[in-house]
Amino acid sequence: MMLEENSKISSIPWQDRPKGSNEIMWRYSNNPIIKRNAIPSSNSIFNSAVIRFKGGYAGIFRCDNKSVQMNIHAGFSKDGIHWNIEHEPIVMEEGNTTMIASDYKYDPRIVLIEDKYWITWCNGYHGPTIGIAYTYDFEKFYQCENAFLPFNRNGVLFPKKINGKYAMLSRPSDNGHTPFGDIYISYSPDMKYWGEHRSVMKITKFEDSAWQCTKIGAGPAPILTDEGWLLFYHGVINTCNGFRYSMGAAILDENDPSIVKYRSQPYLMAPTEIYEQVGDVPNVLFPCGILHDIAQDKVALYYGGADTVVGVAFGHISEIIEFVKNNSL
Ligand code: BMA
């Protein structure tokens, strides 16, 4: 299926909102764009990150293999929709440390800061914590010190330094499926030593906004707008059939992102399509990647569906901001 006509002039993948739809964010008509068996070894490919690269796009994909070992693979695309994913996982070289042990890697995020593409992911080191690596070309990757002690997940870098320091959101957790979780921010002068940990956002009360009352975690890298940092995040409710993952958005202060200016009470997207409701883990819509164009007022958001496939959704940045401001907790 072709993208809509105006994607020819768009710097990111794009389809206009379907006629008659009143959704703030709408799905690509040919979702899921990456099926579970897109490479020979994969059991599932989901929660993955993308970025502009050399006139096209590069991505880091979470591919669980048929032994259900979790790992991250590089991939490339001309249009952001059709992807060639490397069949072998990324092999890390030593970055700012010789300690690059890793029992598993999953849920990657990517940002470009100055001259390097930085990857963060959930790294297995005596349980889950936040792994960091950089690359210049998506061929050689240099792994750095883990950002935090275990257990932690959803480590998401800001795309520029804040007050002269690297900044990262994360979600301290446990070694299991974690029935709790709030978002914190930490700073580093050098991508090695992290501190100045501050609380950003906590779960909601069930009666205020139930979809985000069990745990929350940052999604893709925040986007700087006139209102502040636009952060997409996942929120979880524990139902009688288990966790259900939806997505909301918040706007954080530009110079002190621990200050939440607005936060959506209703979700922006929830698992409502069959490929989000049915898969290895039902009812999961998990945002990890984003492409944006401020001048064209567009985002293309990449998310995992039911821990099995990758989907894309689109939206206008100005409409998302209005929605968050007008429906803020
Ligand atoms: C979390 C992570 C995610 C996954 C989610 C739902 O703990 O493992 O990768 O999408 O659970 O299973």
Side-chain angles (χ1 to χ4, degrees):
M1 171 153 323
M2 297 298 290
L3 292 178
E4 294 292 323
E5 197 58 14
N6 72 358
S7 69
K8 294 202 178 86
I9 53 160
S10 186
S11 69
I12 63 171
W14 184 254
Q15 258 182 349
D16 287 334
R17 179 185 274 118
K19 289 202 175 49
S21 165
N22 60 2
E23 290 191 293
I24 304 297
M25 296 192 71
W26 57 96
R27 292 161 175 83
Y28 179 51
S29 58
N30 207 26
N31 268 355
I33 60 163
I34 297 170
K35 309 274 191 302
R36 64 182 312 156
N37 56 354
I39 59 173
S41 59
S42 58
N43 166 75
S44 47
I45 305 180
F46 52 111
N47 306 354
S48 299
V50 300
I51 199 158
R52 284 196 186 84
F53 180 66
K54 282 192 176 168
Y57 307 94
I60 304 290
F61 294 87
R62 170 174 176 176
C63 303
D64 292 8
N65 70 17
K66 288 173 184 158
S67 305
V68 195
Q69 294 169 303
M70 305 175 283
N71 220 324
I72 54 176
H73 295 224
F76 301 91
S77 174
K78 289 197 168 66
D79 62 5
I81 297 289
H82 302 92
W83 288 87
N84 289 317
I85 300 174
E86 301 285 348
H87 291 188
E88 297 300 323
I90 291 169
V91 177
M92 296 285 175
E93 299 181 33
E94 290 172 3
N96 66 14
T97 179
T98 56
M99 206 300 286
I100 61 171
S102 179
D103 294 330
Y104 49 79
K105 299 183 177 75
Y106 65 84
D107 294 1
R109 279 43 170 214
I110 312 177
V111 286
L112 175 63
I113 311 175
E114 294 157 7
D115 62 336
K116 295 182 184 67
Y117 299 95
W118 290 93
I119 321 291
T120 53
W121 68 91
C122 184
N123 193 41
Y125 179 74
H126 302 268
T129 184
I130 306 304
I132 305 178
Y134 63 88
T135 181
Y136 298 100
D137 54 12
F138 288 88
E139 285 171 18
K140 283 178 177 274
F141 292 83
Y142 300 93
Q143 189 170 338
C144 298
E145 280 288 323
N146 292 323
F148 307 117
L149 292 169
F151 309 115
N152 201 312
R153 291 183 175 97
N154 300 300
V156 177
L157 286 164
F158 285 74
K160 68 174 190 127
K161 290 181 181 172
I162 297 174
N163 303 318
K165 292 177 191 142
Y166 297 103
M168 196 194 300
L169 301 169
S170 75
R171 209 276 305 286
S173 67
D174 67 13
N175 196 13
H177 294 299
T178 316
F180 62 88
D182 301 325
I183 299 176
Y184 288 78
I185 190 167
S186 308
Y187 294 93
S188 172
D190 55 5
M191 281 283 188
K192 186 164 188 174
Y193 300 99
W194 292 85
E196 297 173 64
H197 314 292
R198 302 285 183 274
S199 166
V200 178
M201 271 165 53
K202 291 192 176 295
I203 54 168
T204 48
K205 284 192 193 137
F206 178 81
E207 58 272 29
D208 289 342
S209 181
W211 65 269
Q212 50 183 328
C213 74
T214 300
K215 54 181 169 173
I216 54 174
I223 295 170
L224 190 54
T225 73
D226 289 343
E227 295 283 347
W229 294 102
L230 174 60
L231 172 70
F232 294 91
Y233 66 95
H234 67 257
V236 178
I237 179 174
N238 195 8
T239 75
C240 55
N241 280 320
F243 291 150
R244 180 176 191 250
Y245 284 68
S246 305
M247 181 185 81
I251 298 169
L252 313 180
D253 183 81
E254 177 175 351
N255 299 312
D256 181 358
S258 70
I259 299 169
V260 179
K261 293 171 68 179
Y262 307 98
R263 173 179 177 181
S264 60
Q265 182 174 27
Y267 59 69
L268 274 165
M269 293 179 70
T272 54
E273 298 299 310
I274 198 77
Y275 55 88
E276 298 155 359
Q277 294 180 324
V278 176
D280 286 3
V281 183
N283 300 313
V284 180
L285 189 153
F286 196 97
C288 273
I290 203 157
L291 298 168
H292 72 278
D293 186 323
I294 293 280
Q296 292 194 355
D297 192 27
K298 291 173 177 172
V299 289
L301 184 136
Y302 293 71
Y303 64 93
D307 283 11
T308 306
V309 295
V310 176
V312 187
F314 306 106
H316 292 293
I317 297 168
S318 60
E319 292 180 2
I320 294 165
I321 288 174
E322 278 313 295
F323 177 83
V324 175
K325 286 172 77 168
N326 293 335
N327 296 279
S328 189
L329 274 166

